[in-house]
Amino acid sequence: MSELYTNDTSKLTFRECWNLTRDWKFLILAGARLFGGNLGGGMPIPCPRSIRDWQLEREELPEFSRDGVEDCVRRLEALGFHSPFFYAPEQLSPESSCCGMAMLHESGDVFAVRLHARSTMVHPPLDNVVVSFVSVRPDGTFLETVDQREQLLGPSGDDIFRFPNAPLETLWRAHQENLATSRATKPIRRLTSVDEMIVTVDYNEKRAFDFHVRRGHYRPMTPAEEADLRRKRSSRDQIRAAPPLPATAPPAPETRSAPPPLSAGGVSEASPEQETAQISEENALIYAELQKLQEGKESSWGGALILLAISIGLFVGLGAWRWSWDMAAALVPILFVHELGHYIAMRAFGYRNVKMFFIPLLGAAVSGRKYNVPGWKKVAVSLAGPLPSIAIGAVLAVAGAVTGEEWLTKAALLTLILNGFNLLPVLPLDGGWVVHNIFFCRHPLLDVFFRILTTLALIGGGIATGDRFLWIIGIFMGMGIPMAHRAASIGRDLRQRGLSQDAVEGDAIPPATANAIIDEVRARYAAPLPDKNVAQIALQIFENLNARPPGAWASAAFLAAHAIGVATAIVFAALCVMGQDTAMGNFMRMAAETPEQEYVCGTIRTWTGAEFETRDSSDVRTVVATFEGAEQAETQFAALTNELSGVMAARLFGQTILVSTPTAEQAGRDRCFNRLEGAGGKVFVGGTNQLSSLTVVTLWPTPEAAEEVEKALKDHLMASSIAQALLPPWHPDDPRSPESREAHDKARKTYARLINRHNETAADDAEEAEINESKAAEVEQLLRRLSEARRRGNDAEAESIQDELGRRDKAANDKFYASLRAEGPETLDLEVIDLYEKHQEQFVAFEPRETIDTTRLDAIAERMGLAAAPGADAESGADRYSSRGGFTRREGPLLRIEWLRFANDFEGVPALADWLCDKGCLEFHYRFNNGFGFEDLSDL
């Protein structure tokens, strides 16, 4: 074979794009040209060689061109032409043939060329006949008169005159006139023999070929393209090399010869040449159609991308008209990701000519050719679209719930619904093909039963939902049931007779197998079918023969994956719906905001120096060092205890080392700080002047268990904002009696409600809420008037407004205190209410801060349970477990404690952890914050 070339349409000019199409296809070709895409699609082009190598005798002319050539020769001989030279260029594709003829004029100034090309890629075959009169000049340029309109550009210097579809005699007269005109400026070289004419024809062809190679329109075929072409030619040559069959009429079906004998494996024992010979004459044309269907024309990357882009544009445009722009635009990425899964799987399994495209108002699809696909691969291709998309939808659902971004939740819900629906066991959905290729393809009756159920489901669903597309698809599905059943029955019968084609490399149907299938198809159909239809049915049967259902274990695995996909889509779609509920969204956000550091209950380790003693919290500074992992923290803790002074103590708490140092021990604290920071810890020092805070997130067995702990913490943390240190619930040696603890808890609950007044006054019904809103608006108006009066220096008006605000505030307070007292002493500590009310009256009267009396707050603190006795009798370090403020949040079984500030981190943090572990928490995550929680150590 000569060196082969193929065409590159990206090198065409826009003028050539129009010349080649002259219809709407120009937009596709021009679009590819504009964006540098190569649509390809032409026949192989060999390097020109002498037409003498392809010479034919008159009786060897191909049948499709014989009559036309003979007529042309007679008419040219009448015009003075002689010595016809016949040739047929090398046939590189079974879909194309070409025949040429050249004749020299008796004057030697002109030769005539007739080319007849036939393409059988369409039906009926497409013929293209071109007649031209050519004269050559001494400088190697040509004067040509041709009966075809311009298509491709040619080399410069030639004079070409075109008379599309003109009769041969008219064309000859036009060339004579052009020749006479040209002679005045450019002489014509006379050809003296047929050999010289052949050399000139060869030169003209080579000159045009080189022109297109230089411009890049012709490019050499790649090794892969040549290998594919050789494979196609080999299949065709087997037919051509087969011994000729008797030229008799096809026998009637009842006298048709039996199929050739088969081996046990279903493959003919004959050689390839013998197999080809076994294609009966009546099946030869059908087999040729079968080869065309298998080989097909491969589309280029550029063509595939243009198809995808145009289909997306149509999908979005019609979708916006039918639905909305937002919906159409949202569907594109979801469908693209789904189909991309199918595309990747098909490419991985060796499918050819794989293309993705969108179907306006319906969805998207991926097509590809492969006729030797085991059943398990078909199932894998079906699942490769929805399962990855459902996984992505699940991630989006979690992200939407965590971040609260509504668009993420909507995208997740749409992704999960579409792909979950796609897994329904209904054809033509992916889920339908999964169950079909696992179960219902095993017997024709099962196949029919499943298709009938699918048809009824589609039509019923379309009627119920009012979606016309569903019932239209159902009707078409039902119309195809008889043909599908007949194909499945033929395949089963052939398999039972021993005809099968196990999966092997390549997917071309062997001739013997093709002949047996075609015979069976023709026998089953009473009415004759077109050859192409028979070939399509035969190819479907061949594909079914190869697509054996997966084995038991593979089927179980695929069904489990299918079920998991459906369940995941349902669960996370429900999560999206529930995520619109504030509680569920808060739960997901709290779970996502869980600190990275983890403490495992019962793993605290403590080292104390020989001179260490319990001190007042005001005389303790704690070094806090957090490491990336627990192992690193444990290693540094073991090394650190050998370097600390005797007045210090150290604790290993999860991924954190806590070192207690006296306030005066600055040098030792600096050494410890530098040592831990140098080891990779994130370190700060908490104490009197710089309180640290702790964030804790705990997981509990049930929401009820978390709620119980929250109740125990909530009122205490709110009440601990008072100046004095209170006994915490987590105190390891709580000295109080049950009665005292109950009284303290009642006082703390009362104080927490007093200082959290705004939540207490929230209205429960619409009427009261409207009244409160009106009062709030009046107060806001008074505050604006007060500001304006002060700005103008109008003291009298300012004092009047201030008195009015005081009266309103007192009235609101009186109402609030009365509502609390109404609950009775069984629920609240009425003494705490009285003390707090008298304390707050000082602020209503606008007394100077230095005159504010705090004795009532001290009395309230005593009623809530002080950690240390006031005055000189206080025990040293009695407040070491106490906290200074903090608050809780709970969502389901998750409990979060934030801004928890200890008087002494070294003692308070472990005590709290032990208490929570004793209460039954399942997980304990924490984070130390440098200060009051505004600065996360992970950002230091």
Side-chain angles (χ1 to χ4, degrees):
M1 185 188 298
S2 304
E3 184 180 1
L4 299 178
Y5 285 73
T6 186
N7 59 41
D8 184 349
T9 59
S10 66
K11 304 302 181 182
L12 295 175
T13 65
F14 290 109
R15 172 182 168 186
E16 289 173 309
C17 292
W18 173 250
N19 289 339
L20 291 169
T21 57
R22 294 183 181 267
D23 56 20
W24 62 269
K25 301 184 189 70
F26 164 75
L27 298 176
I28 298 176
L29 202 59
R33 167 68 178 84
L34 183 63
F35 296 103
N38 177 25
L39 296 181
M43 295 301 176
I45 305 164
C47 280
R49 60 186 185 186
S50 176
I51 59 174
R52 193 181 299 279
D53 296 338
W54 296 327
Q55 183 174 2
L56 296 176
E57 297 299 328
R58 200 172 193 132
E59 58 273 11
E60 294 177 330
L61 288 170
E63 184 176 353
F64 72 85
S65 186
R66 184 174 300 161
D67 292 342
V69 170
E70 293 291 355
D71 178 69
C72 185
V73 168
R74 287 193 299 270
R75 295 166 67 184
L76 287 174
E77 286 177 340
L79 298 175
F81 288 85
H82 63 87
S83 305
F85 182 88
F86 307 105
Y87 61 96
E90 183 178 10
Q91 185 179 345
L92 298 177
S93 172
E95 294 88 4
S96 65
S97 303
C98 185
C99 174
M101 184 270 295
M103 294 181 69
L104 183 63
H105 193 260
E106 58 189 10
S107 66
D109 294 340
V110 184
F111 62 89
V113 177
R114 181 187 189 272
L115 289 175
H116 183 180
R118 163 169 284 200
S119 173
T120 58
M121 293 179 65
V122 296
H123 185 79
L126 179 64
D127 292 290
N128 184 29
V129 180
V130 181
V131 176
S132 60
F133 295 101
V134 186
S135 300
V136 60
R137 299 186 179 108
D139 61 359
T141 60
F142 290 86
L143 170 68
E144 184 174 358
T145 306
V146 62
D147 66 351
Q148 187 182 55
R149 60 180 173 82
E150 183 184 46
Q151 291 186 338
L152 298 178
L153 300 179
S156 60
D158 294 344
D159 292 324
I160 301 177
F161 301 92
R162 301 184 180 277
F163 299 86
N165 303 318
L168 186 144
E169 290 76 13
T170 302
L171 197 69
W172 170 242
R173 287 194 297 271
H175 186 75
Q176 286 182 307
E177 293 174 2
N178 295 332
L179 190 62
T181 303
S182 178
R183 286 182 188 277
T185 55
K186 298 180 181 179
I188 299 297
R189 184 165 64 88
R190 178 167 297 179
L191 305 179
T192 60
S193 65
V194 173
D195 288 340
E196 194 172 355
M197 177 190 70
I198 292 173
V199 171
T200 304
V201 172
D202 292 341
Y203 167 75
N204 192 19
E205 291 292 328
K206 184 66 167 60
R207 183 166 169 264
F209 179 86
D210 290 342
F211 169 76
H212 291 299
V213 170
R214 286 194 303 271
R215 65 189 289 234
H217 177 52
Y218 293 168
R219 64 164 179 82
M221 275 189 168
T222 64
E225 291 171 331
E226 288 196 19
D228 185 60
L229 180 62
R230 283 194 296 270
R231 180 185 62 79
K232 295 179 181 178
R233 291 190 65 191
S234 174
S235 177
R236 184 198 65 206
D237 292 343
Q238 288 181 16
I239 297 293
R240 181 176 289 178
L245 295 172
T248 59
E254 61 272 11
T255 63
R256 189 179 63 251
S257 301
L262 303 175
S263 66
V267 180
S268 173
E269 296 177 340
S271 66
E273 292 76 9
Q274 292 171 329
E275 284 183 335
T276 304
Q278 291 168 356
I279 297 291
S280 62
E281 183 177 2
E282 61 182 349
N283 293 341
L285 294 178
I286 299 175
Y287 184 67
E289 292 288 345
L290 192 62
Q291 284 187 304
K292 294 177 187 177
L293 291 174
Q294 291 181 95
E295 294 173 355
K297 184 172 64 174
E298 296 286 341
S299 62
S300 65
W301 278 99
L305 290 175
I306 290 173
L307 172 65
L308 178 61
I310 293 175
S311 64
I312 289 177
L314 292 174
F315 180 88
V316 173
L318 292 177
W321 166 72
R322 177 71 183 273
W323 311 309
S324 67
W325 282 107
D326 292 343
M327 174 60 73
L331 286 173
V332 169
I334 294 173
L335 294 175
F336 179 81
V337 171
H338 175 101
E339 298 304 331
L340 184 62
H342 291 312
Y343 182 91
I344 293 173
M346 292 171 75
R347 298 285 295 187
F349 289 145
Y351 283 72
R352 295 183 292 121
N353 202 27
V354 183
K355 296 188 291 290
M356 183 193 304
F357 52 91
F358 280 68
I359 307 173
L361 302 179
L362 285 179
V366 174
S367 66
R369 293 200 311 269
K370 189 172 178 66
Y371 308 110
N372 195 352
V373 185
W376 72 269
K377 288 187 178 181
K378 288 193 170 187
V379 178
V381 168
S382 296
L383 291 176
L387 292 188
S389 295
I390 288 174
I392 293 173
V395 173
L396 292 176
V398 174
V402 169
T403 62
E405 293 288 347
E406 185 179 0
W407 71 271
L408 281 175
T409 302
K410 288 183 178 179
L413 187 60
L414 189 57
T415 300
L416 293 165
I417 289 176
L418 288 178
N419 287 279
F421 177 81
N422 193 257
L423 284 178
L424 291 178
V426 176
L427 294 175
L429 302 177
D430 289 329
W433 288 116
V434 168
V435 296
H436 180 272
N437 288 317
I438 291 177
F439 292 122
F440 298 101
C441 68
R442 298 175 185 268
H443 194 280
L445 292 180
L446 289 175
D447 180 79
V448 169
F449 173 72
F450 183 58
R451 291 177 185 271
I452 290 175
L453 286 182
T454 289
T455 300
L456 294 176
L458 289 171
I459 294 176
I463 295 174
T465 61
D467 190 340
R468 72 178 67 179
F469 288 110
L470 282 180
W471 61 262
I472 289 175
I473 293 173
I475 290 175
F476 278 104
M477 180 68 68
M479 293 171 60
I481 290 177
M483 182 173 291
H485 174 254
R486 194 170 297 176
S489 299
I490 293 173
R492 185 195 61 169
D493 293 346
L494 290 174
R495 187 179 290 113
Q496 289 178 347
R497 284 167 37 191
L499 180 67
S500 64
Q501 177 65 28
D502 294 332
V504 294
E505 184 176 359
D507 59 351
I509 180 171
T513 303
N515 196 72
I517 295 174
I518 294 171
D519 281 342
E520 196 67 28
V521 171
R522 297 179 67 176
R524 295 291 184 95
Y525 286 83
L529 296 176
D531 292 347
K532 190 168 185 178
N533 289 4
V534 176
Q536 290 172 338
I537 297 171
L539 198 56
Q540 179 184 350
I541 294 171
F542 176 67
E543 184 177 356
N544 292 340
L545 287 173
N546 291 324
R548 294 183 178 274
W553 288 107
S555 296
F558 282 128
L559 289 174
H562 180 271
I564 291 172
V566 173
T568 302
I570 293 174
V571 169
F572 282 92
L575 174 64
C576 290
V577 175
M578 292 186 297
Q580 298 173 5
D581 176 23
T582 304
M584 177 60 70
N586 289 341
F587 174 83
M588 296 301 297
R589 281 187 283 277
M590 182 180 290
E593 294 168 1
T594 298
E596 296 180 0
Q597 287 76 41
E598 182 178 9
Y599 164 69
V600 179
C601 291
T603 59
I604 296 176
R605 292 171 55 186
T606 303
W607 175 91
T608 56
E611 303 173 25
F612 177 77
E613 59 183 22
T614 302
R615 300 171 181 269
D616 289 334
S617 297
S618 60
D619 192 27
V620 174
R621 306 297 299 276
T622 303
V623 180
V624 181
T626 301
F627 294 87
E628 291 292 334
E631 293 183 1
Q632 184 183 6
E634 185 174 358
T635 300
Q636 295 305 319
F637 176 78
L640 180 67
T641 55
N642 297 323
E643 303 176 11
L644 298 178
S645 65
V647 297
M648 297 181 179
R651 278 202 172 99
L652 177 63
F653 178 81
Q655 298 169 225
T656 303
I657 296 175
L658 303 172
V659 181
S660 178
T661 66
T663 301
E665 187 67 20
Q666 184 65 53
R669 190 161 51 250
D670 287 343
R671 286 194 302 272
C672 176
F673 186 103
N674 294 334
R675 168 73 173 76
L676 293 173
E677 188 174 50
K682 296 176 180 178
V683 191
F684 72 93
V685 177
T688 305
N689 297 322
Q690 179 63 51
L691 292 177
S692 64
S693 68
L694 182 70
T695 299
V696 175
V697 176
T698 51
L699 175 66
W700 299 85
T702 62
E704 292 74 20
E707 184 180 13
E708 182 180 350
V709 175
E710 182 190 28
K711 289 180 180 178
L713 288 173
K714 188 174 182 180
D715 293 336
H716 166 74
L717 294 178
M718 187 69 70
S720 66
S721 60
I722 203 165
Q724 288 84 355
L726 305 180
L727 282 166
W730 56 82
H731 196 296
D733 302 310
D734 194 335
R736 297 174 294 173
S737 64
E739 294 77 11
S740 297
R741 187 179 297 109
E742 182 179 358
H744 293 161
D745 289 344
K746 185 186 296 184
R748 293 177 185 183
K749 178 181 179 180
T750 305
Y751 183 72
R753 292 182 64 179
L754 287 166
I755 64 176
N756 199 28
R757 171 185 167 182
H758 293 291
N759 291 336
E760 289 286 337
T761 56
D764 293 330
D765 58 82
E767 183 178 355
E768 187 177 352
E770 186 176 351
I771 294 173
N772 290 341
E773 185 176 352
S774 175
K775 290 181 178 179
E778 292 175 2
V779 170
E780 184 178 355
Q781 180 64 25
L782 287 171
L783 290 173
R784 282 199 293 267
R785 288 176 53 196
L786 177 61
S787 176
E788 181 65 15
R790 288 175 175 172
R791 187 172 72 87
R792 292 177 176 275
N794 191 337
D795 296 337
E797 184 178 0
E799 185 176 355
S800 174
I801 295 173
Q802 194 167 286
D803 291 342
E804 175 63 20
L805 288 171
R807 285 191 297 272
R808 286 174 176 267
D809 195 29
K810 186 176 187 309
N813 286 339
D814 291 343
K815 182 179 178 181
F816 171 61
Y817 295 139
S819 66
L820 291 182
R821 291 189 177 98
E823 296 185 27
E826 297 82 7
T827 305
L828 300 176
D829 188 332
L830 302 184
E831 181 66 22
V832 170
I833 298 175
D834 294 338
L835 291 170
Y836 188 80
E837 181 180 14
K838 291 181 174 58
H839 175 72
Q840 289 296 106
E841 287 175 354
Q842 303 174 87
F843 298 99
V844 175
F846 295 97
E847 297 182 9
R849 177 170 292 275
E850 58 271 12
T851 64
I852 297 297
D853 183 6
T854 62
T855 56
R856 296 182 182 88
L857 282 183
D858 295 339
I860 292 174
E862 288 187 24
R863 296 188 68 84
M864 292 192 297
L866 292 173
D873 295 335
E875 177 188 353
S876 178
D879 63 344
R880 61 187 181 274
Y881 301 115
S882 300
S883 64
R884 298 285 192 270
F887 65 90
T888 62
R889 287 194 298 134
R890 183 183 65 83
E891 296 296 341
L894 282 181
L895 177 63
R896 185 181 183 93
I897 310 171
E898 293 187 273
W899 288 13
L900 183 57
R901 304 184 297 277
F902 288 96
N904 186 334
D905 292 316
F906 184 80
E907 301 288 356
V909 173
L912 172 67
D914 288 343
W915 181 74
L916 292 172
C917 289
D918 290 341
K919 290 288 185 180
C921 81
L922 301 177
E923 293 184 15
F924 187 109
H925 292 265
Y926 70 94
R927 179 178 63 238
F928 281 99
N929 306 299
N930 183 9
F932 295 97
F934 299 108
E935 186 175 11
D936 187 339
L937 274 178
S938 63
D939 298 328
L940 290 179

